[in-house]
Amino acid sequence: MVSRSYSNLLDLTSGDSLTFGREKKRFPRVATVAGVLSELDDDTSNNSVGSDAPSSVSQDRMIIVGNQLPLRAHRSDDGEWCFSWDEDSLLLQLKDGLGEDVEVIYIGCLKEEIDPSEQEDVAQTLLDTFKCVPAFIPPNLFSKFYHGFCKQHLWPLFHYMLPLSPDLGGRFDRSLWQAYVSVNKIFADKVMEVINPDEDFVWVHDYHLMVLPTFLRKRFNRLKLGFFLHSPFPSSEIYRTLPVRDELLRALLNSDLIGFHTFDYARHFLSCCSRMLGLSYQSKRGYIGLEYYGRTVSIKILPVGIHIGQLQSVLNLPETESKVAELQDQFRGKTVLLGVDDMDIFKGISLKLLAMEQLLIQHPDKRGKVVLIQIANPARGRGKDVLEVQLETDATVKRINETFGKQGYSPVVLIDTPLQFYERIAYYAIAECCLVTAVRDGMNLIPYEYIICRQGNEKLNETLGLNPTTPKKSMLVVSEFIGCSPSLSGAIRVNPWNIDAVVEAMDSALIIPEGEKQLRHEKHYRYVSTHDVAYWARSFLQDLERACKDHMRRRCWGIGFGLGFRVIALDPNFRKLSVEHIVSAYKRTKCRAILLDYDGAMMLPGSIITTPNSEAIGILNNLCNDPRNVVFLVSGKDRKTLTEWFSSCGKLGIAAEHGFFVRTNHNADWETCFSVPDFDWKQIAEPVMQLYTETTDGSNIEAKESALVWNYQYADPDFGFCQAKELLDHLESVLANEPVSVKSGQHIVEVKPQGVNKGFVAERLLLTMKQKAMLPDFVLCIGDDRSDEDMFEVIMSARDSLSPVSEVFACTVGRKPSKAKYFLEDTTEIVRMLQVLANASEQAARSAPQPSQRVVTVESK
């Protein structure tokens, strides 16, 4: 199969392709020399080099990127490296859900260190034999990356552990962060070696590679990219303490689809995006999406499953049957409780042991009858905290066994040596109850494995002396702080910090009637067997395809430097307004309509001073003095404020409060375009708004003549958003019989008379000009927010009210989704463009005599 790589410009120009299975092409060793790359290092253009190139590949292909390749490696007797698949790797198991027609390529590190002199040959062997591309990371750099930033900063923080002292995770180390960025960049280079950006899907896994999406998106703007986080995502109060919080959030948002195990993790991520980046999300037809610079970043919530086939194949092994028989004899006459955990601070092993101790104290009848087997897998990290957990565990086990043990009975059996998989399965098979008391864990698949093993098979039924026709049974006591807890509705959920509650749950699990144990097991087995790892992978791929379906239809721009890079995706007809183009049209036209939103068009964003400056007033006067122009300022502000601000603009037409009040010039009276009998509805709406203002700190009410606005811009983002939804429902209910509309906007909820919007002003202005035989041949409309979209929609579809040769310029501020056809970057560019138009009018006035000033009166409705 041919895979086109654009990592080398010579390949791009020559059309050379990389061929798998046909031709051996040796890859350069990327970054095999120790060194730290700066996070702002950018040796690649922001342009999407390969995004628009035609593809020669028709078969779907998935590039799976993880910290470690799903391979085992060892040296043979003759010193050669030997590799085999790691059947326990999730990255390998998920392949079952992608379909036989999907080719899979893996990118990651090897667990073993490969000498630089052997790396090239090893890389070629892995590519040819396993379709794996190894990322060789220098040992010093890898140590800073994995044991440093990943395990000292990200992993503790994501498990709710703050670095309150140097002993708790350590202070933030910028050099470790730079190592993290450098390794992610090496992974990006490896992806570049094999990717066909127009066809391939890329699936990045876990917190080790959280900035990789930025490097990939920078190379290829339309890349089809998914990311799944296998750890918890902490609440915003915890996450916001991370010094590089914005960089990681923005990097993840360069994905098309972001996956989480539970809604809690997704909710925390969305809350961080809202509080730190000001982004809001929407749920539409069951899908959650974040709008990010014109791109919709989808959120996927689905816990991972286990590989049923692998478990069942191990269950069928003779070794498993023998081990089950051995354990049954060893623990005959005793009830076995089982715990299987890594030896780290978050797995709650010590809490489980304390609960076992209390169980034996409170229930003396359990002594000699109940055994807790605790399998402690080696810790994945290293450090002082791991050693402390080991010492505490050993001391607690020793104390319990010395207190309650006797000849032939040890209440706690600690197994802290590595076990074969079949041995672990044998322990599952004999355990009456499985205990998982982790204080924080991303998913934890131990309960799933336990359920499948308790279902057993014919051989194990015979070994255990079970009747094949009798329904199987199992019991689970699980922490409410682990990812699998929500999906196990039949389990006894506990707060692991509450020892008494855990003791009560353990006792309940032992005395629950057999029939209920069977029902709980059946419920769990039905879920686990249908939601396996293949189901999870297949569902993720389907959602990734849906999230990427519009990629080629949109125009993309890359903006920002370093890890602040992001892609703006816009409609193909949406482009930047050329000043030369609009000035040319302006000069050759004779009847012009100009509609401006003051806030968005002429006021600098973030400025404390909102009143118009002398430059803005001068521009407006110059435009109004041109007899070919009809200029209207359309604003949401009240008419009193606008009258004061623009008192020196005698010929300027003004529409206040989104068009409810209109004045054609300074000497004209304010008129209303709407027939509203009264505003009695305010007496209903205002007390309701006042109630929400009192209960929402940072909110306020803006009372206009025609409308009431509840503003929560300075309130807590999450609470304000929640209150706004409640207020919207409340107002719609109490005002159902009133002639008003209730709308939500950017940090506001507004109540105003029905039909009032800026689009009506544009519509009436163009209609009035038509009735006066003044068909505009030039229309300019500028605005920056949602309320201005109504004006854009009207002028873009008002061909009957325009000259047949008219030129229409609907322009929004900033690159963002809009009904406007054009954009300018900011208000500075808007003012500069208006100044050029005003100069053109002044120049025309000096060069030729002009007809009398046009006067247009907008008719009332």
Side-chain angles (χ1 to χ4, degrees):
M1 175 181 175
V2 176
S3 172
R4 187 173 296 174
S5 171
Y6 299 123
S7 58
N8 189 312
L9 289 179
L10 293 177
D11 291 347
L12 179 63
T13 55
S14 64
D16 292 342
S17 301
L18 171 67
T19 305
F20 288 98
R22 298 181 189 174
E23 174 188 356
K24 289 191 175 183
K25 177 177 177 179
R26 295 192 178 275
F27 294 122
R29 294 194 299 273
V30 178
T32 54
V33 179
V36 175
L37 302 174
S38 167
E39 63 203 73
L40 297 179
D41 178 38
D42 183 14
D43 56 2
T44 307
S45 169
N46 283 353
N47 295 329
S48 180
V49 178
S51 294
D52 300 317
S55 172
S56 60
V57 183
S58 58
Q59 180 185 11
D60 284 339
R61 195 169 69 154
M62 173 73 79
I63 298 176
I64 297 176
V65 191
N67 179 45
Q68 289 187 344
L69 289 171
L71 296 173
R72 301 182 190 274
H74 68 276
R75 284 194 182 273
S76 62
D77 295 337
D78 59 1
E80 294 294 323
W81 281 107
C82 297
F83 299 95
S84 61
W85 288 116
D86 181 1
E87 301 292 340
D88 296 334
S89 172
L90 174 67
L91 301 188
L92 180 63
Q93 294 172 357
L94 66 81
K95 186 177 179 181
D96 288 358
L98 302 181
E100 296 180 357
D101 59 332
V102 178
E103 181 187 4
V104 176
I105 293 179
Y106 293 101
I107 296 177
C109 298
L110 288 167
K111 297 177 184 177
E112 289 71 19
E113 185 178 339
I114 307 296
D115 188 85
S117 63
E118 301 176 289
Q119 289 177 1
E120 195 168 337
D121 291 332
V122 166
Q124 194 63 49
T125 299
L126 295 183
L127 180 63
D128 294 341
T129 309
F130 300 97
K131 291 186 178 176
C132 289
V133 179
F136 298 113
I137 312 297
N140 291 339
L141 182 61
F142 184 83
S143 179
K144 289 184 176 181
F145 156 72
Y146 184 76
H147 297 292
F149 193 77
C150 290
K151 288 301 181 180
Q152 287 184 27
H153 292 316
L154 287 184
W155 189 74
L157 189 78
F158 280 22
H159 288 76
Y160 285 69
M161 182 177 174
L162 290 173
L164 298 176
S165 71
D167 293 334
L168 296 174
R171 305 301 189 196
F172 182 80
D173 187 334
R174 180 66 59 172
S175 67
L176 300 183
W177 163 245
Q178 290 175 339
Y180 181 82
V181 173
S182 298
V183 171
N184 275 251
K185 197 168 190 300
I186 291 173
F187 272 81
D189 293 335
K190 287 299 178 182
V191 174
M192 293 305 107
E193 291 180 358
V194 296
I195 192 171
N196 174 6
D198 296 321
E199 298 294 335
D200 295 348
F201 291 91
V202 180
W203 188 356
V204 181
H205 289 265
D206 222 4
Y207 63 93
H208 314 91
L209 302 171
M210 290 178 70
V211 299
L212 179 57
T214 289
F215 290 124
L216 296 179
R217 187 67 67 188
K218 186 180 295 186
R219 262 76 162 199
F220 305 113
N221 294 168
R222 294 187 179 90
L223 187 67
K224 293 177 280 191
L225 176 59
F227 181 93
F228 198 94
L229 183 67
H230 293 274
S231 76
F233 195 95
S235 66
S236 61
E237 288 75 16
I238 300 292
Y239 179 80
R240 71 201 310 176
T241 64
L242 188 64
V244 290
R245 60 190 191 183
D246 287 0
E247 289 90 333
L248 290 180
L249 282 182
R250 292 192 183 279
L252 288 180
L253 290 171
N254 276 319
S255 306
D256 295 299
L257 176 65
I258 306 173
F260 299 93
H261 285 306
T262 72
F263 173 69
D264 274 351
Y265 304 160
R267 177 169 57 86
H268 293 158
F269 173 76
L270 294 171
S271 176
C272 289
C273 291
S274 171
R275 291 173 178 272
M276 296 165 208
L277 303 181
L279 303 177
S280 59
Y281 70 92
Q282 289 184 332
S283 180
K284 186 176 182 181
R285 296 186 177 180
Y287 296 104
I288 299 175
L290 272 166
E291 288 298 323
Y292 187 61
Y293 290 94
R295 296 172 50 246
T296 299
V297 181
S298 298
I299 305 299
K300 174 77 171 175
I301 303 168
L302 184 66
V304 69
I306 59 174
H307 195 287
I308 307 293
Q310 182 199 18
L311 271 176
Q312 291 175 339
S313 65
V314 178
L315 281 169
N316 291 327
L317 292 176
E319 296 94 324
T320 305
E321 186 180 349
S322 300
K323 186 65 178 179
V324 169
E326 176 191 331
L327 293 175
Q328 189 179 28
D329 289 339
Q330 181 181 348
F331 298 102
R332 191 175 300 278
K334 298 179 178 63
T335 301
V336 175
L337 307 178
L338 178 66
V340 182
D341 304 279
D342 292 343
M343 186 67 81
D344 70 50
I345 58 176
F346 296 113
K347 293 303 187 288
I349 295 178
S350 60
L351 297 176
K352 187 187 306 178
L353 294 174
L354 292 176
M356 180 64 182
E357 185 177 36
Q358 286 298 312
L359 178 70
L360 297 176
I361 292 173
Q362 297 176 18
H363 301 275
D365 57 305
K366 299 290 194 298
R367 301 172 189 174
K369 298 179 181 178
V370 178
V371 176
L372 171 62
I373 301 175
Q374 178 61 55
I375 299 174
N377 302 318
R380 300 181 189 180
R382 62 190 184 190
K384 181 180 177 182
D385 54 349
V386 174
L387 181 60
E388 289 177 351
V389 171
Q390 291 173 335
L391 294 175
E392 183 182 8
T393 300
D394 292 339
T396 307
V397 170
K398 182 180 179 181
R399 183 179 72 243
I400 295 173
N401 287 337
E402 288 178 349
T403 304
F404 302 103
K406 59 184 178 181
Q407 184 66 31
Y409 171 68
S410 295
V412 178
V413 178
L414 177 64
I415 303 172
D416 55 4
T417 56
L419 292 179
Q420 296 290 329
F421 191 32
Y422 77 88
E423 294 179 296
R424 194 171 88 207
I425 281 183
Y427 281 102
Y428 286 143
I430 67 162
E432 188 72 16
C433 177
C434 182
L435 307 174
V436 182
T437 56
V439 297
R440 187 71 60 180
D441 208 350
M443 184 59 194
N444 200 312
L445 296 175
I446 298 301
Y448 288 13
E449 294 179 352
Y450 168 70
I451 290 163
I452 297 299
C453 293
R454 289 290 287 178
Q455 185 68 16
N457 56 33
E458 292 182 4
K459 291 182 179 179
L460 290 184
N461 288 339
E462 186 178 337
T463 303
L464 294 169
L466 300 176
N467 184 345
T469 61
T470 303
K472 301 299 188 295
K473 61 179 181 177
S474 64
M475 280 302 300
L476 284 169
V477 176
V478 300
S479 165
E480 61 190 55
F481 302 121
I482 63 176
C484 66
S485 175
S487 60
L488 298 171
S489 56
I492 302 177
R493 298 191 183 100
V494 295
N495 174 4
W497 300 101
N498 187 341
I499 303 299
D500 290 335
V502 178
V503 171
E504 184 179 347
M506 293 167 67
D507 184 50
S508 298
L510 296 175
I511 64 176
I512 280 179
E514 297 293 299
E516 186 170 346
K517 290 181 181 179
Q518 293 168 357
L519 289 174
R520 289 174 184 248
H521 172 80
E522 180 186 358
K523 185 176 187 179
H524 289 157
Y525 179 74
R526 187 166 56 247
Y527 175 83
V528 174
S529 60
T530 55
H531 292 72
D532 60 356
V533 66
Y535 172 87
W536 172 76
R538 185 165 55 251
S539 178
F540 189 89
L541 178 57
Q542 289 172 352
D543 278 15
L544 182 57
E545 290 174 338
R546 178 187 56 79
C548 301
K549 65 181 180 180
D550 289 336
H551 273 19
M552 299 310 296
R553 190 182 65 83
R554 297 202 166 230
R555 300 174 66 211
C556 297
W557 288 271
I559 63 172
F561 298 99
L563 295 179
F565 176 86
R566 61 265 190 205
V567 167
I568 295 176
L570 301 170
D571 187 275
N573 295 322
F574 189 64
R575 57 185 183 273
K576 187 169 184 176
L577 180 58
S578 166
V579 175
E580 292 78 10
H581 179 200
I582 192 172
V583 170
S584 174
Y586 186 83
K587 288 181 176 179
R588 66 173 177 266
T589 49
K590 305 299 182 183
C591 183
R592 311 179 190 115
I594 301 175
L595 297 104
L596 305 174
D597 169 38
Y598 168 72
D599 292 347
M602 307 190 74
M603 189 177 74
L604 294 177
S607 174
I608 299 177
I609 302 174
T610 58
T611 55
N613 56 29
S614 57
E615 180 186 11
I617 296 295
I619 291 173
L620 290 174
N621 277 328
N622 286 337
L623 291 174
C624 292
N625 289 334
D626 191 328
R628 299 182 180 89
N629 295 344
V630 176
V631 184
F632 253 84
L633 197 73
V634 188
S635 175
K637 297 189 180 299
D638 62 90
R639 55 178 173 174
K640 179 181 178 182
T641 299
L642 294 175
T643 299
E644 294 175 356
W645 285 0
F646 299 100
S647 58
S648 60
C649 299
K651 299 177 181 178
L652 177 67
I654 300 177
E657 299 190 16
H658 296 300
F660 187 85
F661 297 107
V662 175
R663 188 185 70 181
T664 54
N665 58 66
H666 183 66
N667 296 322
D669 295 328
W670 284 100
E671 299 177 359
T672 177
C673 295
F674 298 86
S675 176
V676 179
D678 56 57
F679 290 95
D680 292 345
W681 55 265
K682 286 188 177 183
Q683 300 175 14
I684 303 173
E686 191 163 10
V688 175
M689 285 187 173
Q690 189 62 43
L691 173 65
Y692 283 80
T693 303
E694 293 172 357
T695 57
T696 311
D697 189 34
S699 66
N700 62 79
I701 301 173
E702 181 184 355
K704 302 179 181 179
E705 289 184 72
S706 66
L708 288 174
V709 181
W710 187 73
N711 189 308
Y712 61 97
Q713 181 179 1
Y714 302 108
D716 177 272
D718 290 334
F719 184 55
F721 180 73
C722 179
Q723 290 288 79
K725 290 176 65 177
E726 287 294 324
L727 176 59
L728 186 71
D729 291 341
H730 197 160
L731 289 172
E732 286 179 341
S733 175
V734 299
L735 298 174
N737 297 322
E738 300 293 334
V740 296
S741 63
V742 184
K743 297 284 182 67
S744 62
Q746 187 72 12
H747 299 125
I748 66 164
V749 175
E750 183 175 23
V751 184
K752 59 185 178 181
Q754 289 177 347
V756 176
N757 60 69
K758 293 182 179 181
F760 176 76
V761 177
E763 181 181 355
R764 300 305 298 177
L765 174 63
L766 296 179
L767 181 60
T768 302
M769 293 180 71
K770 178 182 178 181
Q771 292 172 348
K772 297 180 178 293
M774 298 165 52
L775 289 180
D777 52 7
F778 176 97
V779 180
L780 171 61
C781 181
I782 301 176
D784 76 322
D785 63 17
R786 188 182 303 175
S787 65
D788 300 309
E789 296 295 315
D790 295 323
M791 285 198 297
F792 298 150
E793 185 175 11
V794 167
I795 68 168
M796 294 298 291
S797 59
R799 290 298 172 186
D800 292 342
S801 301
L802 304 178
S803 167
V805 295
S806 64
E807 299 203 44
V808 178
F809 299 91
C811 180
T812 189
V813 182
R815 306 186 191 189
K816 59 191 176 189
S818 173
K819 294 175 183 176
K821 189 176 179 180
Y822 300 97
F823 71 89
L824 286 173
E825 297 290 357
D826 50 36
T827 52
T828 303
E829 289 193 357
I830 296 287
V831 171
R832 187 181 302 126
M833 183 267 294
L834 292 176
Q835 182 65 69
V836 174
L837 297 184
N839 293 341
S841 289
E842 277 192 301
Q843 183 179 3
R846 289 194 299 266
S847 61
Q850 300 295 330
S852 59
Q853 176 72 38
R854 299 176 186 269
V855 177
V856 177
T857 302
V858 179
E859 297 179 358
S860 301
K861 187 175 181 179

